[in-house]
Amino acid sequence: MRILLVEDDDRIARPLAEDLKNQHYIVEIASDGIEGWDYAQAAEYDLILLDLMLPRLDGIALCKRLRSSGYQGFVLMLTAKDTTSDKVVGLDAGADDYLIKPFELEELEARIRALLRRPPEMQQTVLTQDQLVLNPTSRAVYYTDKPLDLTPKEYLLLEYFLQNPGQVFTRTMLLDKLWELDRASGENTIKTHITNLRAKLKSAGCREKLIETVYGVGYRLRVKKA
């Protein structure tokens, strides 16, 4: 899942982003409302964590602009204001939920999981291919009964392939989908992560190469023919 964090306090934004990345989310940070708007126009986000008090364009105005432009993802407001009227204004602007600062990371993670369970069509289902199982809710990956210890990027690559079995992706497409907009990574980083992912699958007992190389094009998840 791709998350945009719009927060002007770097002391909050950086550790929060790192924690979410460790939970296998793709996270990008915008430090003011205008930058948040620009990011939201440049990429598709499943969730926007939006501070209420922002420079240049405040969180309420940004939320209204996002909803007016047709943004259908989730918006979770983060603010130190805890009056009922403040909550009503945020929800009326189009926010899906409201979290008061300071908050525990565990509570934020729980709120995110709750949002992903609503509505029913957004519920995440277990992804499988042969004896490979990936549970998006628990972030657990198994081959047969053996757990795979994946890095956040390896997990995201595998999840994306399982969501799109048989579809061929170029390295550029994978970078655009799974890496941050301000990335410094080149296309060779995709090759490295896929090599490591294949090695971990092999160590877990996977004898066939599930992630195939389509020479001259990119990669795809092998699908067994009926």
Side-chain angles (χ1 to χ4, degrees):
M1 185 174 75
R2 195 178 200 124
I3 296 175
L4 175 62
L5 172 59
V6 190
E7 169 62 68
D8 63 318
D9 189 338
D10 198 57
R11 296 170 300 176
I12 295 174
R14 293 296 169 185
L16 178 53
E18 286 305 312
D19 178 76
L20 291 172
K21 288 177 182 179
N22 289 334
Q23 302 298 318
H24 303 310
Y25 297 118
I26 304 168
V27 184
E28 287 156 342
I29 301 173
S31 59
D32 62 60
I34 295 298
E35 187 177 29
W37 169 254
D38 291 340
Y39 267 77
Q41 300 311 295
E44 294 183 6
Y45 294 96
D46 303 285
L47 169 67
I48 296 179
L49 298 176
L50 183 56
D51 186 28
L52 187 62
M53 304 299 292
L54 292 168
R56 298 211 290 168
L57 184 69
D58 66 60
I60 295 296
L62 176 55
C63 189
K64 289 180 178 179
R65 184 182 292 190
L66 288 166
R67 293 308 190 195
S68 296
S69 70
Y71 175 69
Q72 297 295 315
F74 298 111
V75 176
L76 199 166
M77 286 278 191
L78 306 175
T79 180
K81 294 187 175 183
D82 61 354
T83 66
T84 299
S85 60
D86 289 320
K87 295 177 184 179
V88 169
V89 170
L91 295 172
D92 283 348
D96 297 285
D97 202 355
Y98 206 99
L99 191 57
I100 305 299
K101 297 179 182 177
F103 52 82
E104 297 294 333
L105 291 174
E106 290 82 1
E107 182 180 2
L108 175 61
E109 293 165 8
R111 295 289 187 98
I112 291 173
R113 291 194 296 270
L115 285 174
L116 291 177
R117 291 195 294 269
R118 123 175 58 135
E121 59 267 26
M122 295 297 291
Q123 291 181 5
Q124 296 177 303
T125 57
V126 173
L127 302 170
T128 63
Q129 179 66 27
D130 295 337
Q131 299 180 74
L132 179 65
V133 177
L134 183 149
N135 188 323
T137 301
S138 66
R139 302 288 192 267
V141 182
Y142 293 87
Y143 187 81
T144 59
D145 292 326
K146 298 179 181 177
L148 272 69
D149 183 17
L150 304 182
T151 67
K153 289 302 183 190
E154 290 166 359
Y155 174 90
L156 289 169
L157 276 168
L158 185 59
E159 181 184 48
Y160 194 48
F161 281 122
L162 284 167
Q163 289 171 339
N164 302 277
Q167 185 172 340
V168 179
F169 297 101
T170 66
R171 294 180 187 177
T172 299
M173 291 167 67
L174 293 171
L175 278 173
D176 289 343
K177 182 67 179 178
L178 303 177
W179 263 254
E180 292 78 13
L181 290 175
D182 58 354
R183 66 179 184 265
S185 306
E187 292 186 5
N188 282 339
T189 194
I190 296 293
K191 182 179 179 181
T192 299
H193 281 86
I194 286 179
T195 298
N196 294 339
L197 183 54
R198 285 170 171 167
K200 290 182 179 180
L201 285 167
K202 185 177 181 180
S203 295
C206 181
R207 296 181 179 180
E208 299 181 73
K209 188 176 288 185
L210 286 179
I211 301 174
E212 299 178 321
T213 299
V214 181
Y215 292 99
V217 183
Y219 306 94
R220 70 182 171 200
L221 183 74
R222 179 185 57 79
V223 179
K224 275 190 175 181
K225 295 181 180 179

